[in-house]
Amino acid sequence: PVLNPLRVVVVDDEPLARSGLAALVRRDPELEVVEECGDGRAAVEALRRHRPDLVLLDVQMPELNGFEVLQQLDPQRLPAVVFVTAYDRFAVRAFEVHALDYLVKPVSTVVLAAKLRAMARLKAMQSRLIAMSSEEAGLRGAKRYVDAHRRELSEVPTFGLFVDGVYDEVPLKGIVVWN
């Protein structure tokens, strides 16, 4: 099993299309379907609840269309979006809302599988970079900063942090938190 699979929500109002997309995602061990939704309102709830890495999103659906779904979400917490729709006329608008890709149904399973694998690889690389940054640069950098500025920092609010097995206090000012 993959430690950190790409978490995917599949949204399509056509049950056959939705189950087919979900089945394709499930074939890849680096991907995990966390929920399938048949309309826009259910999609908003699922995206808020799961905070997935990727959403495969239909454009025209009951309740809310794909663009309205994205408008309901916090722009800072949007997953990567791949529109999968029967209509090519929404492609320009899709890229205006920063969609990662736009696929017109029927989608070639080979093309979709290749795109999903590429996204999984990108996420794995991103996770490694974040881990390296937070572990190596962040913790060691924080310890060096504290050591160099210990006297000046005595008045700054702090939180506790273990660095190289030693408990230290690190200033809240200027700390970047990765999630």
Side-chain angles (χ1 to χ4, degrees):
V2 176
L3 280 176
N4 195 11
L6 188 76
R7 298 166 27 99
V8 182
V9 170
V10 178
V11 183
D12 199 309
D13 63 322
E14 298 175 30
L16 195 56
R18 183 175 61 247
S19 64
L21 288 170
L24 182 62
V25 171
R26 286 186 178 103
R27 287 185 199 166
D28 192 322
E30 295 181 7
L31 305 171
E32 174 189 11
V33 174
V34 293
E35 191 160 341
E36 297 176 40
C37 305
D39 66 66
R41 292 223 187 277
V44 170
E45 291 172 16
L47 293 169
R48 286 180 177 154
R49 181 174 45 256
H50 295 291
R51 294 180 58 198
D53 302 299
L54 172 69
V55 59
L56 299 178
L57 185 60
D58 193 5
V59 173
Q60 293 200 326
M61 300 178 293
E63 304 293 327
L64 299 169
N65 69 42
F67 298 106
E68 292 167 333
V69 166
L70 298 178
Q71 290 172 349
Q72 300 291 314
L73 301 171
D74 178 353
Q76 301 300 316
R77 296 181 184 249
L78 283 178
V81 178
V82 173
F83 282 101
V84 182
T85 182
Y87 307 96
D88 61 357
R89 68 178 179 262
F90 299 110
V92 171
R93 186 170 176 203
F95 291 111
E96 287 173 349
V97 297
H98 308 289
L100 192 60
D101 210 337
Y102 189 92
L103 304 174
V104 178
K105 297 177 199 173
V107 177
S108 158
T109 56
V110 172
V111 169
L112 183 58
K115 289 178 183 290
L116 292 173
R117 276 194 305 278
M119 287 179 234
R121 283 192 302 273
L122 284 173
K123 181 173 189 306
M125 286 175 19
Q126 178 190 36
S127 295
R128 283 194 298 272
L129 287 172
I130 288 172
M132 285 175 14
S133 295
S134 61
E135 185 177 315
E136 294 173 15
L139 295 180
R140 290 187 184 116
K143 183 167 178 16
R144 282 193 299 273
Y145 183 87
V146 168
D147 290 343
H149 298 90
R150 191 170 298 279
R151 283 188 176 75
E152 300 166 35
L153 297 173
S154 61
E155 300 298 318
V156 177
T158 62
F159 72 96
L161 177 69
F162 279 94
V163 178
D164 295 328
V166 177
Y167 182 79
D168 216 331
E169 289 192 350
V170 177
L172 292 176
K173 181 180 176 185
I175 296 296
V176 176
V177 178
W178 296 87
N179 64 13

